Amino acid sequence: MAKSSTGNKNGIRIVVAGDKATGKSSLIITAVSDNFPTNVPPVMPPSRLPDDMYPDRVPITIIDTSSSVEQRNKVGEEMRRADAVVLTYACDRPETLDRLSTYWLPELRRLEVKVPVIVVGCKLDLRDEQQQVSLEQVMSPIMQQFREIETCIECSASRQIQIPEVFYYAQKAVLHPTAPLFDQETQTLRPQCVRALKRIFILCDHDKDGALSDAELNDFQVKCFNAPLQPSEIIGVKRVVEEKLSEGVNERGLTLRGFLFLHALFIEKGRLETTWTVLRKFGYNNEIRLDDDFLPPSFKRAPDQSVEMTNDAVEALKGIFTMYDTDNDGAIRPPDVDDLFSTAPDCPWSEGPYKDAAPTTALGGLTMDGFLSEWALMTLLEPAKSVEYLKYIMYGGDAASAIRLTRRRRIDRKKRQSERNVYQCYVFGPRNAGKSALLDAFLGRPFSESNGANTEERYAVNVVEGSSGSKKFLVLREIPEDKVKKILSSKDSLAACDIAIFVYDSSDELSWKKTAELLVEVAGHAEDIGYEVPSLIVAAKDDLDAYPMAIQDSTRVSQDMGVEAPVPISAKLEDFNNIFCRIVSSAERPHLSIPETEAGRSRKQYHRLVKNSALSVGVLGVGVAVVFAGLAVYRTYAARRNSSN
């Protein structure tokens, strides 16, 4: 569906429902034709209002519904497809008003219809004059119970009272919804709205002095509403704020608190379109997230390609880190991280897979390496989200300039060199082999005997020095033993893996056997799908005595499969034998350290024989070809002679 400047709709579908004889069809006919009907059909066909009927010029289609019990399923389907629902009651029949809270509104919830609801009292002209009550008095208890009600209005089709207003409010509820912006119960701006408006305020505060000057206010007005503010209007705006909020204005101009106060005031006065216009001018959609138009277009990539931050993005992030490292101690504390993401919908690192995935200081602060590592991990796993959040935290470059697509790993293997800056390492191994301890050590966390076996996938990311001395980001993905089959069930499961390591407890013979089986299983899968992966074997818990046949067993398997001998490490003794640099070094040379199974070796020998045979035919040349041609002619001649006999 095409998008408009007023939201994500180029047409609005409004469904009208309610009890029998509450005035549904008369309401629709009068709105469409501007005349009260003398003959009303049981159900009107879909009707369309003129495009220029309301200022937003968004087409409106109105769907009438039957009140019969037999048509309830169809009515439910129509309401599920609605952008807004108009529920009618008859002002002269109080029982139809009661039915809203006893049937219609609960039915919408049962159907999980989550769109704005407009409650309309029809036949206002027929209400008993002796029973006049205010609309607020009647509807307030219902609106307290059903927050999905956006607006209540009474009308009369026969007297043509407030008929256009019904569908204007319905359209407005779709294009300028209240719920994402404002909490009706607390009468405050919603946190997500505050975060978006704070970002807009910072973007408009060009001199970064924490206030919008008269010139900055005028620039803001021109950008959002294509019209300048007169000096007297600027004075008037600031006076309104000062009267209610003393800290809303200072000697430099309108503060953030004043800016937020103004928008809360607009919304309370029913001018939601003002705040929505501002949000949309700065790229926000109805969910108050940046619209796709303000993010880089999605790009096609092969399964063995990855996405990385560009040098421009990394340098910009270094500058942002320095800005939030207010005490210059080389780390940003958790409150600083929260402040950094206070202009985003949330902190993207507050839960998995990013929570606790990067190195921190003893006080929980992120170092520069840890900060950049979190961004590298998010860009690897969710590139679109990474760019989105870069924009939220004021990344000034073009969105498309923040990320780059890497070369395919298959090409890297042919060229015998990888140019990636981020390497993903799958960590395989049986339970209690020492995988989690390895990841903890990678993040600089102390060894603990009490740590139990991890049963969920987990990521750890840090900066490691590459073979050329340049810094690389290494992502360790811990894969529990019982998750291996699920991962390998996918054809492209190893495409994103730059290198695999197989960890076992060097004191436990059963742990070694399971690891050897995992190595054969993963290598066989890689050979089958064509995504061969460099691999290393890691002998963990080297502080314990090795089981009797450890050296012979590991030597045999290493030689048979063509990989290096196991690398001994001890997390307890903090002796890691330079394992993380070894992992990166192997990933940088993707043509080496690739394990071969017997089946894979046999397959290669077969292909080699076939290739050599083809080459032999080519060397023998034309003479052989003539012989084969003569043989074919002879056979054809002989066959014809035999058939003629």
Side-chain angles (χ1 to χ4, degrees):
M1 184 173 280
K3 297 177 182 179
S4 73
S5 60
T6 53
N8 296 333
K9 298 286 183 183
N10 67 354
I12 294 175
R13 185 181 181 87
I14 300 173
V15 172
V16 182
D19 280 357
K20 185 178 181 180
T22 52
K24 299 188 297 296
S25 300
S26 296
L27 170 66
I28 296 170
I29 295 173
T30 306
V32 173
S33 66
D34 206 22
N35 286 303
F36 180 68
T38 53
N39 295 312
V40 182
V43 178
M44 284 283 294
S47 307
R48 181 162 170 164
L49 294 180
D51 293 0
D52 59 355
M53 187 166 178
Y54 302 121
D56 287 317
R57 303 182 70 85
V58 177
I60 295 175
T61 301
I62 306 173
I63 307 298
D64 195 6
T65 58
S66 172
S67 305
S68 67
V69 175
E70 295 79 10
Q71 295 294 315
R72 278 186 180 175
N73 287 339
K74 185 176 180 182
V75 174
E77 287 302 314
E78 291 290 2
M79 290 195 294
R80 282 196 182 99
R81 297 172 58 202
D83 295 312
V85 172
V86 168
L87 291 182
T88 61
Y89 68 93
C91 292
D92 61 332
R93 293 166 56 207
E95 70 276 11
T96 60
L97 175 60
D98 294 337
R99 282 268 295 170
L100 295 183
S101 53
T102 60
Y103 174 74
W104 286 105
L105 288 161
E107 177 68 359
L108 284 173
R109 288 185 175 179
R110 186 187 71 81
L111 294 169
E112 297 183 347
V113 176
K114 297 178 181 179
V115 298
V117 175
I118 312 299
V119 171
V120 180
C122 299
K123 306 185 180 182
L124 177 60
D125 55 300
L126 300 182
R127 174 184 283 158
D128 186 347
E129 294 183 0
Q130 303 300 318
Q131 296 181 353
Q132 292 290 344
V133 290
S134 71
L135 182 60
E136 181 181 354
Q137 184 180 347
V138 170
M139 290 304 305
S140 182
I142 300 176
M143 292 185 75
Q144 287 292 326
Q145 184 181 357
F146 298 95
R147 298 284 177 181
E148 55 268 45
I149 298 175
E150 191 84 14
T151 306
C152 303
I153 185 172
E154 293 179 332
C155 66
S156 168
S158 66
R159 302 276 180 87
Q160 297 201 10
I161 299 172
Q162 296 204 124
I163 297 300
E165 285 81 352
V166 169
F167 297 103
Y168 169 73
Y169 285 123
Q171 181 203 60
K172 187 177 178 182
V174 176
L175 299 179
H176 314 298
T178 303
L181 304 183
F182 200 71
D183 188 326
Q184 299 275 23
E185 192 166 343
T186 62
Q187 291 292 291
T188 57
L189 294 172
R190 292 196 182 275
Q192 192 134 322
C193 179
V194 170
R195 287 168 172 265
L197 291 174
K198 180 180 178 181
R199 175 174 174 269
I200 291 168
F201 178 89
I202 294 172
L203 288 171
C204 295
D205 181 17
H206 303 306
D207 56 11
K208 306 304 176 193
D209 65 350
L212 298 184
S213 65
D214 290 359
E216 288 167 341
L217 266 176
N218 191 61
D219 289 344
F220 166 78
Q221 176 76 11
V222 171
K223 176 179 175 64
C224 295
F225 304 101
N226 301 316
L229 280 171
Q230 298 301 317
S232 60
E233 292 175 312
I234 294 176
I235 293 171
V237 167
K238 291 195 287 190
R239 184 182 297 124
V240 168
V241 175
E242 281 182 302
E243 288 174 356
K244 298 289 185 180
L245 191 70
S246 58
E247 61 269 36
V249 177
N250 62 25
E251 65 280 2
R252 295 185 299 276
L254 185 70
T255 66
L256 174 61
R257 290 198 64 185
F259 186 71
L260 295 174
F261 169 79
L262 272 178
H263 283 280
L265 189 63
F266 291 145
I267 294 168
E268 286 176 14
K269 292 184 177 296
R271 292 173 53 191
L272 289 96
E273 61 273 15
T274 301
T275 300
W276 276 117
T277 298
V278 170
L279 289 168
R280 285 168 181 145
K281 282 291 182 181
F282 282 86
Y284 289 89
N285 58 24
N286 276 12
E287 286 70 48
I288 314 188
R289 299 188 77 99
L290 283 178
D291 195 80
D292 292 343
D293 291 346
F294 285 76
L295 300 173
S298 58
F299 42 77
K300 291 183 178 180
R301 54 175 165 143
D304 59 345
Q305 286 181 290
S306 62
V307 182
E308 299 178 350
M309 294 182 295
T310 61
N311 290 334
D312 288 346
V314 171
E315 290 303 314
L317 286 171
K318 287 179 179 177
I320 291 170
F321 177 91
T322 302
M323 187 177 8
Y324 281 86
D325 180 17
T326 51
D327 54 5
N328 297 316
D329 66 346
I332 55 174
R333 299 166 300 162
D336 297 324
V337 175
D338 290 338
D339 189 28
L340 167 67
F341 288 111
S342 65
T343 52
D346 51 29
C347 175
W349 305 338
S350 59
E351 53 188 44
Y354 310 109
K355 184 178 174 61
D356 299 327
T360 57
T361 65
L363 297 176
L366 276 173
T367 61
M368 174 76 84
D369 282 349
F371 179 71
L372 296 176
S373 293
E374 285 280 23
W375 282 104
L377 178 61
M378 189 158 66
T379 306
L380 178 74
L381 300 181
E382 300 177 279
K385 182 175 182 178
S386 182
V387 174
E388 181 184 3
Y389 278 77
L390 275 173
K391 297 300 290 184
Y392 287 135
I393 66 166
M394 312 302 169
Y395 173 68
D398 178 67
S401 70
I403 54 176
R404 75 178 189 95
L405 198 61
T406 64
R407 193 167 65 188
R408 295 191 64 174
R409 274 204 310 111
R410 284 177 175 171
I411 297 174
D412 284 346
R413 197 161 66 243
K414 288 179 181 178
K415 291 184 177 291
R416 302 189 170 193
Q417 184 181 8
S418 173
E419 298 174 340
R420 297 187 178 191
N421 294 315
V422 182
Y423 292 109
Q424 182 168 196
C425 171
Y426 286 16
V427 182
F428 294 100
R431 287 171 63 87
N432 298 312
K435 301 188 298 296
S436 296
L438 180 66
L439 266 70
D440 285 339
F442 183 50
L443 299 177
R445 294 172 189 161
F447 175 78
S448 174
E449 295 275 11
S450 61
N451 285 348
N454 183 35
T455 58
E456 298 298 326
E457 280 195 23
R458 174 190 165 198
Y459 288 87
V461 56
N462 205 345
V463 175
V464 177
E465 190 172 294
S467 56
S468 63
S470 60
K471 287 187 173 183
K472 304 290 185 181
F473 295 100
L474 175 61
V475 176
L476 300 182
R477 178 185 177 185
E478 179 183 355
I479 300 173
E481 183 182 7
D482 59 357
K483 298 288 195 299
V484 173
K485 288 195 181 299
K486 181 180 178 182
I487 286 178
L488 297 185
S489 64
S490 168
K491 178 184 175 183
D492 297 327
S493 56
L494 295 177
C497 176
D498 295 297
I499 181 170
I501 63 172
F502 296 82
V503 183
Y504 71 98
D505 178 351
S506 59
S507 70
D508 184 346
E509 184 176 6
L510 180 59
S511 180
W512 161 252
K513 287 182 177 178
K514 287 184 176 179
T515 300
E517 290 170 1
L518 278 172
L519 176 59
V520 172
E521 184 179 6
V522 173
H525 180 75
E527 289 168 341
D528 290 341
I529 63 173
Y531 291 123
E532 288 91 342
V533 178
S535 301
L536 293 176
I537 304 173
V538 178
K541 305 185 184 181
D542 192 45
D543 51 287
L544 303 178
D545 292 333
Y547 72 89
M549 297 292 290
I551 295 177
Q552 294 92 320
D553 287 349
S554 61
T555 300
R556 175 178 52 81
V557 171
S558 299
Q559 289 179 346
D560 286 350
M561 300 197 71
V563 295
E564 293 181 28
V567 181
I569 67 167
S570 170
K572 186 173 184 178
L573 300 179
E574 297 185 359
D575 179 9
F576 294 100
N577 209 351
N578 212 24
I579 184 62
F580 305 118
C581 287
R582 288 190 181 198
I583 291 171
V584 170
S585 179
S586 293
E588 288 179 318
R589 297 175 295 171
H591 61 294
L592 300 177
S593 304
I594 296 176
E596 278 189 311
T597 64
E598 285 187 22
R601 195 176 293 111
S602 299
R603 193 182 299 127
K604 282 186 179 179
Q605 288 175 347
Y606 171 76
H607 288 309
R608 198 177 295 118
L609 284 171
V610 171
K611 185 177 180 181
N612 289 340
S613 298
L615 287 173
S616 298
V617 171
V619 169
L620 291 173
V622 178
V624 174
V626 170
V627 170
F628 277 103
L631 182 59
V633 170
Y634 167 75
R635 284 176 175 167
T636 304
Y637 169 74
R640 287 176 179 168
R641 183 182 61 186
N642 291 337
S643 63
S644 63
N645 291 335

